[in-house]
Amino acid sequence: MNGVTARDRGLQLERTALSWRRTALASTSIAALFIHQAAKEGWEASAIVPLLATFTLLGTACAAFIRDRTLRRGCVRLSRSTAFAVSCATAATAVGTAAIRIVGT
């Protein structure tokens, strides 16, 4: 093992933790935009989709925050439940975004 590989092992964990932190921040920001969209629509039936997307994004943000903390403690394994939760939240947000686009036209 050369010096670059040995030195990079710790940096890889740091980069992964930072990417989970960016995911949490992006999810929270997009959730705020969805809440703004729901408020702009007047909290009618069309506001249901942005609110559902907001809850899924906040769930993703929580999962990303928890994963960031576990990586910083040195636990490298990603649990299947975390991966499944983030995947489901991402898919639900994509469907919600598509629904907003369809309802909005």
Side-chain angles (χ1 to χ4, degrees), residues 61-81:
C62 289
F65 177 74
I66 291 168
R67 181 65 181 149
D68 176 49
R69 286 184 47 178
T70 56
L71 281 170
R72 292 187 185 278
R73 280 188 261 142
C75 179
V76 182
R77 289 189 55 142
L78 176 65
S79 68
R80 288 184 184 185
S81 60

Side-chain angles (χ1 to χ4, degrees), residues 13-85:
L13 286 176
E14 181 68 21
R15 286 191 305 268
T16 304
L18 287 172
S19 70
W20 279 101
R21 186 175 287 179
R22 283 191 304 269
T23 300
L25 180 62
S27 296
T28 305
S29 301
I30 294 171
L33 291 173
F34 279 151
I35 289 173
H36 173 71
Q37 178 69 23
K40 186 175 150 184
E41 293 291 324
W43 301 101
E44 298 172 2
S46 63
I48 292 173
V49 174
L51 291 177
L52 290 175
T54 298
F55 288 123
T56 58
L57 283 167
L58 291 177
T60 302
C62 289
F65 177 74
I66 291 168
R67 181 65 181 149
D68 176 49
R69 286 184 47 178
T70 56
L71 281 170
R72 292 187 185 278
R73 280 188 261 142
C75 179
V76 182
R77 289 189 55 142
L78 176 65
S79 68
R80 288 184 184 185
S81 60
T82 303
F84 182 73

